[in-house]
């Protein structure tokens, strides 16, 4: 792709945008390779929709423990739309099928709707044998998280949850 960029002799903002895209693709490839070498998993992709904004999805899992202990899965989702604003969701799934979720919604209305739907979500997950052990809904933007593969765990933030 870099060869195409240089061969096209593009200039201006289009060149900068294409360079950023190529850098992101290469970065994701390196991240996945590093994770694979450590027997970890890291998949990052964007799911486009015809009638809605795309959703960025990132699955990651640490290496299986020496004692055969299964690691926690972490699933991160992000979207930004006119209707619901910016929305981030971090879900952790344990080997016991316990689920913990943190939702960051920059619009108060979206955070309130998520709070109203919490019991319905819990019931839906139970139908599939999953147990929602923790749900935190924040009316805030998600704090910046360092790029690269990191072990699953809590993210520090200074925002308050809804009452």
């Amino acid at each position: 792709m870099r060869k195409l960029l240089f061969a096209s002799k593009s200039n201006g903002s289009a060149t900068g945008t294409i360079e950023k895209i190529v850098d992101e693709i290469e970065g994701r490839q390196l991240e996945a390779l590093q994770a694979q070498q450590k027997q970890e998993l890291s998949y990052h992709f964007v799911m486009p929709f015809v009638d809605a904004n795309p959703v960025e999805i990132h699955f990651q899992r640490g290496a299986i423990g020496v004692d055969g202990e299964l690691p926690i899965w972490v699933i991160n989702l992000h979207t930004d739309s006119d209707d619901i604003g910016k929305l981030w969701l971090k879900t952790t799934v344990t080997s016991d099928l316990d689920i913990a979720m943190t939702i960051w919604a920059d619009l108060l209305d979206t955070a309130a709707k998520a709070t109203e739907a919490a019991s319905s979500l819990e019931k839906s997950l139970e139908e599939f044998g999953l147990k929602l052990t923790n749900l935190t809904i924040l009316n805030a933007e998600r704090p910046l998280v360092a790029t690269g593969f990191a072990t699953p765990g809590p993210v520090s933030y200074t925002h308050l949850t809804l009452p």
Side-chain angles (χ1 to χ4, degrees), residues 8 19 36 43 45 55 62 72-73 88 96 106 124 129 141:
S8 69
E19 285 177 351
Q36 182 182 22
Y43 300 110
F45 55 94
V55 175
I72 294 172
W73 280 90
W88 296 263
D96 296 331
D106 71 338
S124 294
E141 288 197 19

Side-chain angles (χ1 to χ4, degrees), residues 30-64:
L30 286 173
E31 180 182 310
L33 181 61
Q34 289 171 343
Q36 182 182 22
Q37 289 175 342
K38 295 186 230 174
Q39 296 183 341
E40 300 169 339
L41 295 174
S42 178
Y43 300 110
H44 194 135
F45 55 94
V46 176
M47 186 176 293
F49 295 94
V50 173
D51 59 346
N53 289 6
V55 175
E56 295 177 41
I57 303 169
H58 184 201
F59 289 93
Q60 65 184 48
R61 186 211 69 194
I64 296 174

Side-chain angles (χ1 to χ4, degrees), residues 129-159:
L130 304 168
K131 181 180 178 188
L132 184 62
T133 58
N134 185 30
L135 176 62
T136 304
I137 299 168
L138 304 166
N139 175 220
E141 288 197 19
R142 182 175 183 178
L144 293 177
V145 179
T147 58
F149 190 82
T151 56
V155 175
S156 298
Y157 50 85
T158 57
H159 302 286

